[in-house]
Amino acid sequence: MDRPKSFLVIQTAFIGDVILATAIVEKIHQFYPDATIDFLLRKGNESLLVNHPFIREVIVFDKQNKYRNLFLVIRKIRRTKYEVLLNVQRFATTGIITLFSGAKTKIGFDKNPLSVFFTSMVKHQVGQTHEIERNQKLIEKLTDSKAAMPRLYPSSGDYDAVKVYQTSSYYCIAPTSVWFTKQWPAEKWIELIQRNHKPVRSIFLLGASSDHIVCESIRLASGVSSVINLAGKLSFLQSAALMKNAKMNFVNDSAPMHIASAMNAPVTVIYCSTVPSFGFGPLSSNSTVIETKEKLDCRPCGLHGFKDCPKGHFKCAQTIAIDSVASTSSVAQ
């Protein structure tokens, strides 16, 4: 293959998946600095890649009115005539986009039901390796076998927006998750705050607008005056800018963990129903994984988690000791 001049990366899954896929963008730019790189993602995640220096255009797929918008996305992609399309997603919709893209080279995972029609398909295995290493295999023949790190690029405006919160030392806590069984219980976060607030001047609770009520209940129940609820008040990139200089970021196995990885921010990750061996662990140079020490035959209960504990006891979360989490706050940056 001649040196490609245009790439399209497709990742229409969740926030964390998009962040991890930026490692591919970093690697492509490293090997093909003059090539154009576009990125297709689902509506709602586009602000993650605002001002990204290596991405020419972010293409948004609105899954509302799915089939009409699918047609519009395919038409737009065909007009661009990409040389290389990299499909990081493993589901049929992105397989259809890939199939009808008009790209000269179409690369994706074998778990995509339409991968038989791709130019090249790569075996996808959960476990053993990190997601960025799995994704790197898609471009291994175009670059090399070493995965790049994911990165986000907050603007100077994003950093300016959070300066008001950075006048003294602080922790960030992101206590929620889309999945109940990935989420350390609220009472645990409350106890952590009560036990661990003195080393810093402020504790910021982070999350989406939909997390505001949960975060506010944690703030009020803690009784700690230095806790500030910022859920719904910061953009993705503003949150990233704030997390970068925190003394420690305490998170679940969820999107904020991947934001920390992309900023190389210090992070303590609490794993409840899931496990790091799935390949979605933290990548920050200062990172700690906290799990239950009990041997539970029901853990892990799934790749993503559930709305309720299938066994009804939620021991994977309830048996994580507060001390094991609190002790990581003193880890040197």
Side-chain angles (χ1 to χ4, degrees):
M1 181 192 298
D2 294 333
R3 286 183 64 82
K5 296 180 181 179
S6 61
F7 292 82
L8 175 65
V9 179
I10 298 177
Q11 178 50 283
T12 59
F14 295 107
I15 297 166
D17 300 297
V18 171
I19 294 171
L20 294 178
T22 64
I24 289 181
V25 175
E26 297 291 323
K27 195 71 172 187
I28 293 171
H29 179 74
Q30 178 186 338
F31 275 76
Y32 305 95
D34 297 325
T36 59
I37 306 170
D38 292 350
F39 201 111
L40 173 66
L41 44 63
R42 71 191 296 173
K43 185 175 176 60
N45 292 344
E46 58 268 30
S47 62
L48 285 166
L49 303 182
V50 170
N51 300 318
H52 195 294
F54 306 147
I55 296 176
R56 178 184 64 177
E57 182 178 5
V58 176
I59 303 171
V60 179
F61 176 31
D62 187 351
K63 293 190 177 183
Q64 297 292 325
N65 201 351
K66 180 176 180 178
Y67 294 106
R68 177 182 180 275
N69 289 324
L70 177 62
F71 170 77
L72 293 174
V73 164
I74 291 173
R75 186 171 67 176
K76 178 177 177 60
I77 289 171
R78 287 182 66 86
R79 287 174 176 171
T80 307
K81 296 182 171 61
Y82 294 101
E83 291 188 44
V84 179
L85 183 151
L86 302 162
N87 187 351
V88 188
Q89 255 286 23
R90 303 184 302 279
F91 300 105
T93 300
T94 59
I96 293 170
I97 293 171
T98 303
L99 179 61
F100 292 104
S101 66
K104 291 182 180 178
T105 302
K106 310 173 184 69
I107 305 172
F109 288 114
D110 60 346
K111 287 187 178 179
N112 192 295
L114 295 176
S115 61
V116 67
F117 300 109
F118 298 173
T119 309
S120 177
M121 58 180 172
V122 174
K123 188 172 181 62
H124 185 277
Q125 291 180 305
V126 173
Q128 305 304 317
T129 59
H130 196 280
E131 176 76 351
I132 63 169
E133 295 168 327
R134 286 194 287 262
N135 291 345
Q136 176 62 26
K137 291 187 178 299
L138 295 174
I139 57 172
E140 191 172 56
K141 293 180 180 179
L142 295 169
T143 57
D144 60 28
S145 60
K146 183 180 170 73
M149 290 289 287
R151 282 198 66 183
L152 294 175
Y153 292 88
S155 67
S156 57
D158 294 319
Y159 284 108
D160 287 344
V162 299
K163 275 184 180 178
V164 66
Y165 305 118
Q166 297 177 307
T167 56
S168 57
S169 62
Y170 60 92
Y171 297 139
C172 291
I173 294 178
T176 62
S177 170
V178 171
W179 305 100
F180 171 82
T181 58
K182 277 189 173 186
Q183 184 172 280
W184 209 33
E187 63 269 21
K188 295 282 190 176
W189 290 114
I190 292 165
E191 186 177 351
L192 175 67
I193 291 169
Q194 291 171 335
R195 189 178 301 190
N196 210 39
H197 69 278
K198 291 183 180 179
V200 293
R201 292 290 299 275
S202 302
I203 297 176
F204 300 114
L205 302 181
L206 303 181
S209 297
S210 56
D211 302 318
H212 184 83
I213 292 175
V214 171
C215 288
E216 187 65 6
S217 66
I218 290 172
R219 184 187 73 83
L220 292 171
S222 74
V224 175
S225 60
S226 59
V227 178
I228 300 171
N229 181 6
L230 295 180
K233 296 182 179 180
L234 301 180
S235 69
F236 289 137
L237 292 180
Q238 288 168 352
S239 295
L242 185 64
M243 292 173 71
K244 181 176 177 61
N245 293 318
K247 185 175 181 181
M248 183 55 69
N249 296 285
F250 297 93
V251 304
N252 299 296
D253 172 21
S254 57
M257 172 182 66
H258 302 301
I259 292 176
S261 292
M263 300 302 294
N264 196 25
V267 66
T268 296
V269 186
I270 300 168
Y271 280 81
C272 299
S273 66
T274 53
V275 292
S277 60
F278 284 156
F280 297 93
L283 295 167
S284 299
S285 55
N286 177 3
S287 60
T288 304
V289 168
I290 303 293
E291 305 174 84
T292 179
K293 294 182 179 180
E294 287 199 17
K295 300 297 183 183
L296 301 172
D297 58 10
C298 56
R299 180 177 183 266
C301 60
L303 183 61
H304 295 296
F306 294 95
K307 292 182 178 180
D308 299 287
C309 172
K311 296 289 187 179
H313 52 62
F314 204 24
K315 286 184 179 179
C316 60
Q318 296 292 351
T319 55
I320 294 175
I322 300 292
D323 287 344
S324 64
V325 181
S327 64
T328 67
S329 63
S330 60
V331 176
Q333 295 189 41

